Amino acid sequence: DECLYVGAAVRMNEIARSNIVQDHWPILADAAASVGSEQIRNRATIGGNICTASPAADSAPALYVLDASVLIKGPRGEDRCLPITQFFTGPKRNALKRGEIVAGLLIPRPPAGTLSYHEKLSRRKAGDLSIVSVAVMAFVSAGNTAWRVALGAVGPTPVRAPESEAILAKRHDAEAIDRAAASAYGCCNPIGDIRSGLEYRQAMVVNLTRKAIRAVVAQLPQA
């Protein structure tokens, strides 16, 4: 009841359409639904999306804010569990050792009342890789609102934005949201490539992070 286990071969459309995922891990369903096109999602798997270790992996920001762990099996039966933030080690590089495979993902159930928002910017609405993607999650913890912010396609690996999270934990008014969005850029090291120029991607890190935070704030009871 406390964790969701997703096998490595589960396809993106299975995740996006699962009632269980939509009810308790909606940000994962949204991220899965953003992958490629309908035809691609019928074949693409969650294991393939993370094992490719693309910085633009569409599932990664959601898995980062959900504190997912990767379950790994070795060639002689040895198992290990690695936080998703340690699995991505560089562009197209992951933490698998020789002979190891990913068996699946273990995703803790977010606290009741958790709010989330996933945003992906690409050249086309479907069938294209991210220029920038953002996942934001907020939940009440010990009487305070705790925040998690993660971004994709903005560095060698997906990233969490701890400074942004700390700013929002203190307050989430308009000025704080602007500071949190600007702080998220400090966690990034974007490049210019065939999908986007560097300056555009830099601007979109701030703009999309601000948009995602505002979307979550709008759902908060006090908003």
Side-chain angles (χ1 to χ4, degrees), residues 9-221:
V10 175
R11 293 171 180 151
M12 289 299 182
N13 266 342
E14 294 179 90
I15 297 171
R17 295 170 180 171
S18 165
N19 290 333
I20 294 174
V21 178
Q22 290 175 2
D23 288 345
H24 302 292
W25 294 268
I27 195 168
L28 179 60
D30 291 344
S34 76
V35 174
S37 63
E38 185 75 13
Q39 294 92 332
I40 289 172
R41 290 192 297 274
N42 281 334
R43 299 293 293 172
T45 64
I46 189 77
N49 198 233
I50 67 167
C51 285
T52 302
S54 167
D58 288 322
S59 66
L63 293 171
Y64 269 49
V65 297
L66 287 167
D67 281 343
S69 296
V70 184
L71 304 180
I72 298 169
K73 290 190 175 291
R76 288 175 290 277
E78 63 273 27
D79 297 346
R80 62 189 180 111
C81 188
L82 196 66
I84 187 70
T85 53
Q86 297 177 24
F87 185 77
F88 287 79
T89 59
K92 302 299 181 71
R93 298 178 63 186
N94 61 48
L96 290 176
K97 300 176 183 177
R98 183 181 295 273
E100 288 185 328
I101 63 170
V102 169
L105 290 151
L106 195 62
I107 307 172
R109 183 172 178 170
T114 293
L115 303 169
S116 61
Y117 187 84
H118 176 269
E119 179 75 18
K120 172 184 174 178
L121 174 67
S122 57
R123 293 175 298 179
R124 299 184 297 273
K125 289 185 177 180
D128 205 354
L129 296 175
S130 298
I131 294 173
V132 176
S133 59
V134 183
V136 175
M137 197 164 76
F139 54 91
V140 176
S141 176
N144 299 311
T145 304
W147 291 79
R148 296 176 187 168
V149 180
L151 300 100
V154 294
T157 68
V159 296
R160 279 279 291 270
E163 291 185 8
S164 300
E165 296 169 354
I167 291 169
L168 294 169
K170 295 178 181 177
R171 41 190 264 250
H172 44 263
D173 55 22
E175 190 271 336
I177 292 173
D178 286 342
R179 287 197 297 115
S183 180
Y185 175 73
C187 302
C188 303
N189 185 23
I191 62 170
D193 58 20
I194 192 172
R195 296 191 303 279
S196 170
L198 174 60
E199 292 183 356
Y200 180 72
R201 186 173 266 126
Q202 289 172 328
M204 290 302 102
V205 167
V206 178
N207 290 348
L208 262 70
T209 302
R210 183 189 296 114
K211 178 181 177 180
I213 296 170
R214 284 175 174 171
V216 173
V217 169
Q219 301 174 60
L220 291 172

